[in-house]
Amino acid sequence: MKWQKKGLIYCPNGANGWDYDTFMTPHAMLINEGTIRIYGGTRDKEGVSRITYIDVNASNLKEIINIADKPALDIGNPGCFDDNGVILGDIIKVENQLYMYYVGFQHVQKAKFYAFSGLAISDLEGKNFKRYSEVPIMDRTDSGKFGRCIHTVLYENGIFKIYYAVIHSWHYIGDRPYPAYNIWYTESQDGKTIASKDHTLCVDVNDYEYRIGRPKVYHDKNGYKLFYTRDFKTKEYKIGYAESVEGKVWSRKDELIGIDKSKNEGWDSEMACYPVLLNYKDKTYMFYNGNGMGKTGVGYAELIG
């Protein structure tokens, strides 16, 4: 793969109070022939994320048509699993509705945080999502004591195929704890009821990594392709890539990804992470985050080979 970077699209500026900075874990979808909507999580001054969106011209992705003035999904009620922030996992169309799978964060006393998965539902306009439940649809397990985070759902042949990250422990760099996780797979019949055990490990860390996650999976005639973000013990945040025939057993091919942080100063000079792909006409775009895991906003690249 060879990608040509096109630059930064958007970074919030605090205009609404709850969008002080950051536009992380983006998701892009075509909402009409001329408009691409990009969802993402934006932080307030306390670092709490809410899910919002921008609309851009599909023929000129740097032309912003609309910036939402209120969250598509706000934080949860006090005491709930998502009361300290929400970030986007995936959005899929199910009949005449949009299902948003998201990750909710909660502060607890004896760990850095908990992060579990919820579901919110909208009509096809996708401007406002309502929670399916105030409790997680994917909660803790023995293997995922601190987090189980859905990032891709493929609806194929009446089955919801779910790819998610499992936070199993904490990795200390100096005196700071960082969540350690890997990528798993499960299935659901209705997209709402999910097994309470983790059975299928897809991609694990290598000797130099301590976490690998935010799996984004795509299926075409050649099989399944997996894009993810990997973090090294040396604190290098990079995009990785794997391939699979059936979507469960994966072969890592990180050397093929063809995109990394920029060499010069700028919004993605320290890291490139959280990729999501969108095909539009004869082009394939990658939307991704740069420095600070999205603190500097969202940009894009075009596949050219």
Side-chain angles (χ1 to χ4, degrees):
M1 284 176 286
K2 186 176 181 181
W3 299 90
Q4 183 180 70
K5 291 186 176 182
K6 297 293 188 177
L8 180 68
I9 299 174
Y10 172 71
C11 187
N13 59 11
N16 298 301
W18 45 267
D19 55 352
Y20 180 70
D21 63 24
T22 307
F23 196 87
M24 60 181 168
T25 62
H27 174 81
M29 57 189 294
L30 192 67
I31 61 170
N32 59 52
E33 186 57 29
T35 307
I36 293 172
R37 177 163 293 166
I38 309 171
Y39 292 89
T42 185
R43 297 183 187 273
D44 62 21
K45 289 185 177 181
E46 284 70 45
V48 176
S49 173
R50 294 161 175 83
I51 296 172
T52 186
Y53 65 87
I54 62 172
D55 295 331
V56 300
N57 185 339
S59 299
N60 177 11
L61 300 187
K62 288 189 177 181
E63 180 186 341
I64 299 174
I65 300 171
N66 177 53
I67 300 174
D69 59 3
K70 59 181 179 181
L73 185 70
D74 211 330
I75 60 175
N77 286 323
C80 290
F81 79 101
D82 52 0
D83 67 355
N84 201 64
V86 290
I87 64 171
L88 192 60
D90 204 359
I91 299 176
I92 65 170
K93 182 179 178 182
V94 181
E95 297 178 348
N96 61 344
Q97 295 179 315
L98 294 178
Y99 281 20
M100 175 192 284
Y101 294 89
Y102 69 94
V103 180
F105 290 84
Q106 186 174 33
H107 276 172
V108 292
Q109 187 174 9
K110 295 186 177 181
K112 189 174 182 179
F113 58 74
Y114 287 159
F116 295 100
S117 297
L119 171 64
I121 300 174
S122 172
D123 60 26
L124 294 180
E125 287 192 2
K127 294 181 178 180
N128 300 290
F129 287 80
K130 182 179 180 181
R131 282 169 171 78
Y132 166 73
S133 171
E134 287 197 292
V135 299
I137 63 167
M138 180 176 271
D139 211 329
R140 70 183 68 192
T141 59
D142 285 336
S143 49
K145 295 182 288 291
F146 306 105
R148 295 170 80 216
C149 308
I150 296 173
H151 288 292
T152 293
V153 180
L154 301 179
Y155 186 43
E156 297 182 337
N157 301 318
I159 298 174
F160 293 80
K161 299 180 177 181
I162 299 169
Y163 297 86
Y164 61 106
V166 167
I167 303 176
H168 52 78
S169 60
W170 301 92
H171 177 78
Y172 281 81
I173 298 177
D175 59 352
R176 294 187 62 184
Y178 293 87
Y181 43 77
N182 45 23
I183 297 170
W184 293 69
Y185 170 83
T186 190
E187 295 180 355
S188 171
Q189 295 298 314
D190 61 3
K192 302 172 181 176
T193 307
I194 301 173
S196 58
K197 290 186 178 295
D198 302 305
H199 294 290
T200 306
L201 176 62
C202 291
V203 183
D204 205 355
V205 298
N206 62 30
D207 291 340
Y208 307 102
E209 302 161 340
Y210 71 93
R211 59 181 175 182
I212 182 168
R214 218 276 170 139
K216 301 304 295 183
V217 181
Y218 304 91
H219 186 195
D220 60 24
K221 62 182 181 180
N222 298 314
Y224 292 80
K225 296 177 175 61
L226 168 60
F227 295 79
Y228 47 83
T229 298
R230 47 204 295 244
D231 201 355
F232 294 75
K233 295 175 182 177
T234 54
K235 289 306 297 173
E236 296 178 87
Y237 224 46
K238 293 186 175 184
I239 296 172
Y241 174 73
E243 295 178 351
S244 175
V245 174
E246 80 302 316
K248 295 181 182 179
V249 179
W250 294 87
S251 175
R252 289 185 64 166
K253 299 183 178 181
D254 297 319
E255 70 281 1
L256 299 181
I257 187 59
I259 191 168
D260 201 350
K261 62 183 179 181
S262 295
K263 295 180 180 179
N264 300 320
E265 292 184 359
W267 76 280
D268 65 347
S269 61
E270 298 173 7
M271 64 179 66
C273 59
Y274 302 147
V276 62
L277 272 57
L278 178 69
N279 295 320
Y280 177 69
K281 295 184 176 179
D282 60 344
K283 296 182 178 181
T284 298
Y285 296 117
M286 175 190 287
F287 301 88
Y288 69 98
N289 287 138
N291 304 345
M293 296 180 289
K295 189 172 183 177
T296 55
V298 60
Y300 78 109
E302 182 182 335
L303 185 66
I304 58 174

